[in-house]
């Protein structure tokens, strides 16, 4: 009862319920110390409950449609994330020159300067008017999208984001405006919608014949995402001034959540994030149906946040072990062919391996306008973190890229029994004749040539820089993955030892005190200015 009451006061019922189950192992003094610690580190504000939102997103996202009206197989798909509307956007020209069949936003298509809905509308308007983006839209390349936190206008936001319905509608309109055929489809249906979903998730099937069929599954990892074990309360974002260091503090708190989970499990026999979810039950049932009843040769699963990383600093499925275990179990049971995860969010690019170092299961491309190591000191620190947590990367610890980047998937389809049919003139059009040379000379590149044999389709996974040079590459075949997904989930558990956990707690405390001082002085300055005006 004590733990449940504390959970109601602090706002994290799941964490305190878990600790309640373990409290019998603690001495009274230990219990008191733990209470004080958890009250000092304020956990998430989850007072805003998830609600059913009827947004006409089916027209935007294809509603499980055959993606290309002609039924042609996909040749080239480009993707990218983390795009600030007010900054130069040099990658659009490079992407357009490659003439992709499709472009996928994998999250953070826009960034706002405040967390209110008006700021989101302003950011979308600026992006729509951006000269580089306008030139890309003139190419009439279809665009589909997965939503992430900045597309909502709230950094690190989850299901507690206020005004969700209006934010969703703004994002839907943004994507719809980039595609003339989507507007025409909506007009032909009279603006109606026969499929209401609680979230912005969808699937798109391309290619009529199963041997050349690609299913792209766009997950919504925000609308139903529970709070982390430790996080700043969302009401901070509704303050009349910009809260300083919100992102860095939440990053440290994520690290505290990850390391704390491991320590709590050992000391108290409980996991703070136990039972926490990302997708919500409705989306889980939908995803199960998409994977269990699919005959596609490739299944491209887009998650705006990373899935199989070992890095505890970033937002990822690893912070929600129950949800990732459920995903691993689903993949293990349904055995879809040609599984590739695509993610963004982290402001750098990397390849993520499966249980075998040669088996790449995830490609992260993030940083269309900005990247992690641009600033001197912070960039150096981020670089050290990326290098420190490298166990998820294949073959080499430096298999990542921190400059501007975007990703591409080039599909190679079998041609009867006579070998592989070339995917078209993508290399010529994109200025990519030297892709193989670039891959061989780059220390970060993996072999980009196919090793799938004559009768299996393959997809070449690449990350490009702003010079259209390949910085990362790999190949996936259309066969059922040999990855043991449950074993991979166990391998990638986030966590640290007790000494690191204590150090993180001390660091978080110091930063919180620093920010509290900044906020206090800002508040005093505001009061002083107000008093001067009154006089």
């Amino acid at each position: 009862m004590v733990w449940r009451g504390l959970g109601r006061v602090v706002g994290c019922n799941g964490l305190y319920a878990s600790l309640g189950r373990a409290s019998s192992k603690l001495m009274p003094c230990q219990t008191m110390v733990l209470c004080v610690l958890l009250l000092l580190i304020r956990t998430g504000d989850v007072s805003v409950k998830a609600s059913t939102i009827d947004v006409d997103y089916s027209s935007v996202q294809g509603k499980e449609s055959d993606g290309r009206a002609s039924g042609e197989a996909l040749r080239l798909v480009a993707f990218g994330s983390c795009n600030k509307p007010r900054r130069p956007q040099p990658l659009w020209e490079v992407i357009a020159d490659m003439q992709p069949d499709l472009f996928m936003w994998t999250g953070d298509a826009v960034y706002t300067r405040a967390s209110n809905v008006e700021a989101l509308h302003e950011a979308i308007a600026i992006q729509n008017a951006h000269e580089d983006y306008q030139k890309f839209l003139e190419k009439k390349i279809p665009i589909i999208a997965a939503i992430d936190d900045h597309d909502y206008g709230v950094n690190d936001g989850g299901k507690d984001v206020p005004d969700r319905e209006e934010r969703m509608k703004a994002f839907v309109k943004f994507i719809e405006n980039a595609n003339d055929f989507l507007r025409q489809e909506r007009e032909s249906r009279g603006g109606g919608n026969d499929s209401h979903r609680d979230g912005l998730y969808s699937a798109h099937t391309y290619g009529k014949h199963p041997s050349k069929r690609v299913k792209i599954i766009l997950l919504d990892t925000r609308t139903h995402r529970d709070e982390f074990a430790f996080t700043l309360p969302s009401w901070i974002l509704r303050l009349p001034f910009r809260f300083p260091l919100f992102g860095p503090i939440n990053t440290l708190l994520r690290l505290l959540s990850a390391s704390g989970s491991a320590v709590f499990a050992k000391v108290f026999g409980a996991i703070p994030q136990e039972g926490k979810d990302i997708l919500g039950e409705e989306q889980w049932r939908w995803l199960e149906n998409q994977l269990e009843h699919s005959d596609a040769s490739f299944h491209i699963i887009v998650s705006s946040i990373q899935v199989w990383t070992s890095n505890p600093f970033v937002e990822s499925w690893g912070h929600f072990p129950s949800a990732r275990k459920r995903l691993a179990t689903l993949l293990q049971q349904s055995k879809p062919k040609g599984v590739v995860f695509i993610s963004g969010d982290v402001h750098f690019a990397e390849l993520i391996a499966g249980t075998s170092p040669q088996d790449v299961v995830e490609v992260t491309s993030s940083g269309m306008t900005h990247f992690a190591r641009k600033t001197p000191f912070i960039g150096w620190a981020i670089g050290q973190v990326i290098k420190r947590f490298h166990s998820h990367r294949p073959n080499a610890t430096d298999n990542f890229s921190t400059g501007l980047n975007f990703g591409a998937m080039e599909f190679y389809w079998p041609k009867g029994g006579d070998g592989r049919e070339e995917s078209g003139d993508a290399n010529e059009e994109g200025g990519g004749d030297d892709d193989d040379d670039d891959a061989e000379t780059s220390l970060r590149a993996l072999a980009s040539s196919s090793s799938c044999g004559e009768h299996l389709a393959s997809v070449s996974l690449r990350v490009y820089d702003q010079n259209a040079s390949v910085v990362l590459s790999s190949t996936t075949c259309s066969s059922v993955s040999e990855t043991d997904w449950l074993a991979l989930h166990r391998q990638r558990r986030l966590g640290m030892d007790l000494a690191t956990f204590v150090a993180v707690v001390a660091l978080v405390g110091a930063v919180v005190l620093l920010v509290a001082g900044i906020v206090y002085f800002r508040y005093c300055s505001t009061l002083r200015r107000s008093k001067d005006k009154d006089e």
Side-chain angles (χ1 to χ4, degrees):
M1 293 297 293
V2 172
W3 289 104
R4 291 183 182 274
L6 185 59
R8 294 190 185 98
V9 172
V10 179
C12 189
N13 294 322
L15 169 61
Y16 290 90
S18 298
L19 290 176
R21 291 191 295 270
S23 60
S24 59
K25 300 181 181 181
L26 304 179
M27 298 293 291
C29 60
Q30 293 175 310
T31 302
M32 182 62 67
V33 170
L34 187 59
C35 286
V36 172
L37 174 63
L38 293 172
L39 284 170
L40 287 174
I41 304 174
R42 176 68 163 86
T43 53
D45 179 357
V46 292
S47 58
V48 181
K49 302 298 182 183
S51 59
T52 300
I53 296 175
D54 291 339
V55 178
D56 187 3
Y57 201 47
S58 59
S59 64
V60 177
Q61 297 291 56
K63 205 182 79 174
E64 284 70 69
S65 63
D66 290 331
R68 304 180 76 180
S70 64
E72 296 176 7
L74 283 179
R75 175 186 59 89
L76 184 69
V77 176
F79 58 91
S81 66
C82 301
N83 179 79
K84 291 191 174 182
R86 295 173 174 83
R87 293 196 179 186
Q89 299 179 12
L91 297 183
W92 291 119
E93 182 179 0
V94 182
I95 296 171
D97 286 344
M98 291 184 171
Q99 297 184 346
D101 300 321
L102 180 72
F103 178 80
M104 299 191 307
W105 284 112
T106 54
D108 296 338
V110 296
Y111 283 72
T112 63
R113 289 185 169 178
S115 60
N116 53 46
V117 176
E118 291 74 18
L120 178 59
H121 285 294
E122 179 186 10
I124 288 175
I126 294 172
Q127 178 59 29
N128 281 330
H130 198 289
E131 182 180 0
D132 295 332
Y133 186 58
Q134 281 291 322
K135 290 179 180 178
F136 179 78
L137 294 182
E138 290 173 2
K139 302 295 183 180
K140 305 295 183 183
I141 297 169
I143 297 175
I144 59 176
I147 193 169
D148 203 21
D149 53 345
H150 291 285
D151 301 312
Y152 266 131
V154 178
N155 187 26
D156 294 346
K159 69 180 184 182
D160 60 337
V161 172
D163 305 313
R164 271 201 303 144
E165 183 171 357
E166 189 172 352
R167 295 172 190 271
M168 282 184 176
K169 287 181 177 178
F171 184 71
V172 166
K173 187 175 181 181
F174 167 63
I175 301 302
E176 188 180 61
N177 286 342
N179 297 275
D180 288 336
F181 72 93
L182 294 177
R183 283 197 299 273
Q184 294 169 5
E185 181 183 340
R186 174 176 287 203
E187 292 170 0
S188 68
R189 294 188 292 110
N193 180 27
D194 57 3
S195 177
H196 297 302
R197 288 179 181 158
D198 189 4
L200 303 186
Y201 54 92
S202 61
H204 312 263
T205 303
Y206 300 85
K208 288 186 176 180
H209 195 279
S211 66
K212 295 185 178 182
R213 185 170 294 161
V214 177
K215 175 174 282 191
I216 298 177
I217 298 173
L218 303 176
L219 299 178
D220 181 344
T221 62
R222 294 293 173 179
T223 302
H224 294 280
R225 197 214 70 192
D226 288 321
E227 77 280 5
F228 291 92
F230 304 103
T231 185
L232 290 174
S234 61
W235 57 260
I236 286 179
L237 295 173
R238 297 192 284 274
L239 292 174
F241 53 86
R242 187 164 184 167
F243 188 80
L245 301 177
F246 179 87
I249 291 175
N250 259 354
T251 298
L252 289 174
L253 290 175
R254 280 196 297 272
L255 179 60
L256 184 63
S257 296
S259 54
S261 295
V263 173
F264 284 3
K266 291 179 180 179
V267 178
F268 308 125
I271 301 176
Q273 291 295 84
E274 185 178 5
K276 296 294 184 69
D277 197 13
I278 293 178
L279 300 184
E281 282 303 317
E282 180 184 300
Q283 189 174 180
W284 275 116
R285 291 192 297 269
W286 171 85
L287 179 59
E288 289 169 4
N289 184 65
Q290 292 299 323
L291 294 176
E292 290 175 354
H293 301 97
S294 177
D295 59 359
S297 293
F298 290 99
H299 295 80
I300 311 301
I301 304 176
V302 180
S303 169
S304 62
I305 58 174
Q306 290 187 316
V307 182
W308 304 108
T309 182
S310 62
N311 187 343
F313 279 87
V314 301
E315 288 190 87
S316 74
W317 285 65
H319 290 283
F320 302 86
S322 297
R324 195 172 66 179
K325 182 179 180 180
R326 183 171 179 177
L327 177 63
T329 301
L330 175 58
L331 292 170
Q332 201 89 336
Q333 293 174 349
S334 58
K335 299 186 184 303
K337 293 189 291 186
V339 175
V340 178
F341 284 86
I342 304 293
S343 56
D345 184 63
V346 294
H347 302 174
F348 60 91
E350 67 178 344
L351 302 179
I352 298 179
T355 47
S356 168
Q358 291 75 35
D359 181 19
V360 171
V361 297
E362 183 175 347
V363 180
T364 299
S365 174
S366 174
M368 293 188 69
T369 59
H370 56 291
F371 50 92
R373 298 182 70 177
K374 193 171 184 178
T375 54
F377 175 73
I378 295 179
W380 173 84
I382 292 174
Q384 297 306 306
V385 169
I386 297 173
K387 291 179 179 180
R388 165 69 176 81
F389 297 99
H390 59 78
S391 62
H392 57 276
R393 288 194 289 271
N395 298 329
T397 59
D398 63 345
N399 230 319
F400 64 92
S401 176
T402 54
L404 297 182
N405 67 87
F406 69 94
M409 298 179 287
E410 188 168 10
F411 294 90
Y412 296 84
W413 302 106
K415 188 177 181 180
D418 300 327
R420 185 168 295 101
E421 184 180 63
E422 291 299 327
S423 63
D425 56 358
N427 288 342
E428 280 184 24
E429 296 295 341
D433 289 328
D434 297 325
D435 278 356
D436 292 343
D437 294 336
D438 293 335
E440 290 174 3
T441 56
S442 172
L443 292 176
R444 303 184 184 95
L446 296 176
S448 61
S449 59
S450 174
S451 58
C452 299
E454 292 184 350
H455 303 297
L456 279 179
S458 65
V459 56
S460 179
L461 309 167
R462 299 170 186 162
V463 175
Y464 292 86
D465 63 16
Q466 65 187 95
N467 299 315
S469 298
V470 177
V471 293
L472 300 170
S473 66
S474 183
T475 298
T476 294
C477 307
S478 61
S479 57
V480 174
S481 174
E482 296 181 358
T483 298
D484 185 333
W485 298 103
L486 285 170
L488 183 61
H489 164 69
R490 291 190 293 270
Q491 286 178 10
R492 301 289 161 80
R493 284 178 178 169
L494 307 181
M496 293 184 173
D497 55 32
L498 182 59
T500 305
F501 174 67
V502 172
V504 171
V505 171
L507 181 59
V508 170
V511 173
V512 168
L513 289 175
L514 173 63
V515 173
I518 295 174
V519 172
Y520 174 75
F521 284 115
R522 281 194 177 187
Y523 177 71
C524 292
S525 299
T526 303
L527 288 180
R528 193 179 301 113
R529 285 194 299 268
S530 177
K531 185 176 180 181
D532 292 341
K533 287 182 180 179
D534 293 339
E535 292 177 354

